[in-house]
Every structure is written in C-alpha cells, then in structure tokens.
C-alpha cells in the first residue's frame, strides 16, 4: 500500500482541507501533529520554502500548499472526483479556491491579531462575506449542483469563522446582514456528509477558547 | 471556429501569461485593450468579483485570474501541453504558480509605490530572489527539464523586474547577490522560443519610462 503521511495541525482549516480530500478518496494515512513552536526536522526538510503545514508525503515525495495537495490527491487516488471534469467548471472551482487562498487568512487574523492589523482583517472578512452573500443569492454550491474543490477551500469561512466568533465573543456575521451566506454556511455545517469530514465543532471551540483565554491573561 | 476574446492590458505580466498560453496552443483570439481608468462594461460584467484584467471569454463564457485561464487554455485547446502530465510534477508546477501569485505583485509595487509600502514590497522581492537563487543552484527549470506552467507564472520576475529597474534607475538584482537567478533569467529572456512569446522589451521600457516620468512630474 502507498505510504501516505500528513504533517499538520488538527485545528487548522488548511490541514482539514487535505484530510477531507484523503477521506473522500478513502486513503489511509499517518497523521503527524506538528508543533509550530518547535517545527520538526521532517517539516523543515519537506517544505523548505514556506516551512508551513500541511505537507503531504506520498511514497517519500512531499507536496506543499493545501489546495495543491487536494488537487494532487484528486489526481492520484481512486474514488469520487473532487474537481469537476468540465474545463469551464474546473476553472470556476480554481477561481474560488484562489479567492479563498487570498481572502481566507483574514478570518483568523480578524480575531487573533490586534490593533490596525485586526481592523484591516475584519474589513477583508466583511468584503468577503458580501461577495459570498451575493454569490449564494440564487445558488447552493460554487460550481454546478455538487459539493467539491471550491467548497473545501471555503472551510474557514464556513466553520472556523463561527467558532472564532463564539470563542472571542465578537460577532461579525449576522443573518440580517448576510442571509444567503448564513443559509449556505448552515447547510455546509449540518449536511450529514460534511459532518463526517469536518472536525468536531466542540473540540475546535475548546481549543480556541483556551487560546483566547491565554491571550487575555498574557502579560501586556 | 471557437470565439476567443481576451480583455487585457498589453504591458501587464498577468495579461501576458494568458497570451503566452494562447500562442503555445496556436489559438486565434481578439485582444481587447482595457482602460483601467474607465473599465469597459464587458470587463465589469465578465469579472464582477475582482473587476480586473485579464479575462478570457470563450464561446460567451468568461474565465478570470491569469493562471486559472492558462490552465483552462491547456485543458481546452489542442497543442503542446503546458502543465506536466505526472501528478507530482503538476503539484510542483501548481506550487510555484501559487508562489508567484503571492510574491509576484511585490515586483510592481517595489517600484511604483512610495514610502513604507514600497520598502515592504522591496523586502518581499529580495526574499523571493533569495528563494529563486537557491532553487536554481542546481536546476534550469522549475519542473523537470521543460519550460512550462510555473515558468509562465514567473514572467514578472524574469522580464518585468529588469524593465522596471531600468526605467526607474533603481537596481535590485545583481549577479553578485543572485548569480543563479540571473543565469536563469538571462536564459529565460534570451531563449529563442521565449522571445517569440514575450512582449518586446524595448516597448515595455518606453511604457514604464513614461510612467515614471509622469509620476516624477506629477504635483506632490
């Protein structure tokens, strides 16, 4: 059997994109939890340019960047397709994946940073939500009538944003402001198939609660 | 024949990535030059989210984001392949394309912005050059032994950076500091095949000279 290792962080949305793809394809893998304060020699060697998780190691070869890994998994392993087959649909999926690569990091920053950087990130999140709210005015998925590549890329907006809101006590998303986004998000989180792939919300909440508490009690 | 339109700006590296792919595949297309000060209704309608060039319109359907378009062209039209066939090689190509999507914009900013933003962009360019210099220590192309997707993504570092240096009079790249990058860049620009695909350097220089002169004589 192919040897697959994933270097990651269980609470990271980037990591979960990859886990999701591996689960869709039914690939068995060894998960190696990294410590960002003390990165492993394997991580530094496997991703020498960015030194970031996630990294997939397949038969000794490393692949970096979460959505690049998801596409690699889609092309390498048997199982249900993640990217659409039609070139125009694939382009729409790639377009949205790039959108979330660019806009997604603001989700974490808008809660975990402070001052000017935090305000800038909050504005980015609101701009992103406006776009998504408009996008889901008359559709349910990013591409056609199926959940796939772009939706996996959107996981931080769908799940982590709400968890960070609850842990920090700061509300950004309301159904009055972003009704279509909220409908999409609720279906995303509650659909039975996704539930199987997403990390447990309560465990994420415990993790981020602890982070906010630690930040609040840290010396100023 | 398929109807292909490209909404772009002749001097933009993003635009040229798409033109390069269209030329590799031998696709005939209508080029529609945009005016960023007065964007056409067609551009606003075809790329409602980013309102940016380039946009490819193929049989009435629009595709946005330069590298997404290059991949669409590769998958849609006959002709020499742009992305490698092997999934791991494809992943490396996607990795580098993402690298240039993230780091590339600093090239323009480091010459065209001012103050703190300019300094930040210059540092980003130097960080990028260090990585590329190390990457080309013992290889000639990003992936395997062929020019392709990642190299097309790298066009701003290969050509535009030098043009902007010459037009602005500010030197960032020296062969003492980045010998491997310079060797790669010189081969990239001078290889007879690429020459056919790249925009004329002297015309780019005239354009950017005029921009720097206009900026210098603008009221402060």
């Amino acid at each position: 059997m192919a040897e697959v290792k994933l270097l990651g962080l269980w609470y990271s949305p980037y990591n979960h994109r990859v886990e999701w793809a591996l689960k869709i394809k039914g690939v068995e893998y060894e998960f190696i939890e990294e410590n960002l304060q003390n990165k492993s020699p394997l991580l530094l060697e496997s991703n020498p340019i960015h030194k970031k998780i996630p990294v997939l190691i397949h038969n000794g070869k490393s692949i970096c960047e979460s959505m690049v890994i998801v596409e690699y998994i889609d092309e390498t392993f048997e199982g249900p397709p993640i990217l659409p087959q039609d070139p125009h649909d694939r382009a729409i999926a790639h377009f949205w994946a790039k959108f979330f690569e660019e806009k997604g990091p603001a989700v974490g920053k808008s809660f975990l940073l402070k001052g000017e950087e935090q305000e800038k990130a909050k504005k980015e999140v609101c701009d992103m939500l406006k776009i998504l709210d408009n996008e889901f005015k008359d559709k349910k998925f990013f591409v056609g009538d199926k959940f796939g590549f772009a939706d996996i890329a959107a996981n931080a907006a769908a799940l982590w944003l709400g968890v960070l809101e609850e842990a920090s006590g700061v509300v950004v998303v309301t159904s009055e402001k972003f009704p279509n986004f909220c409908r999409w998000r609720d279906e995303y989180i509650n659909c039975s198939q996704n539930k199987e792939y997403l990390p447990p919300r309560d465990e994420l909440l415990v993790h981020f609660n602890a982070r906010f508490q630690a930040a609040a009690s840290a010396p100023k």
Side-chain angles (χ1 to χ4, degrees), chain A residues 47-124:
Chain A
N47 189 355
I49 295 187
H50 300 304
K51 304 176 180 68
K52 283 185 184 169
I53 63 101
V55 176
L56 191 82
I57 303 180
H58 180 211
N59 289 331
K61 286 184 178 177
S62 59
I63 304 111
C64 307
E65 297 284 359
S66 60
M67 294 312 294
V68 173
I69 303 173
V70 170
E71 186 152 355
Y72 173 82
I73 291 168
D74 194 31
E75 291 177 346
T76 302
F77 299 100
E78 297 288 324
I82 298 171
L83 267 160
Q85 298 305 299
D86 171 76
H88 189 259
D89 285 348
R90 289 169 71 86
I92 299 176
H94 280 133
F95 172 88
W96 283 109
K98 183 167 190 296
F99 177 87
F100 287 108
E101 292 289 75
E102 284 172 9
K103 312 283 184 194
V107 170
K109 287 180 187 171
S110 65
F111 296 96
L112 300 165
L113 296 182
K114 294 280 165 216
E116 201 182 319
E117 282 184 308
Q118 184 178 36
E119 291 310 311
K120 199 179 150 206
K122 275 187 188 171
K123 191 188 169 304
E124 271 185 64

Side-chain angles (χ1 to χ4, degrees), chain A residues 11 16 22 44 59 91 143 165-166 215:
Chain A
Y11 58 81
H16 265 281
L22 289 167
L44 299 176
N59 289 331
V143 186
E165 281 184 306
E166 197 174 332

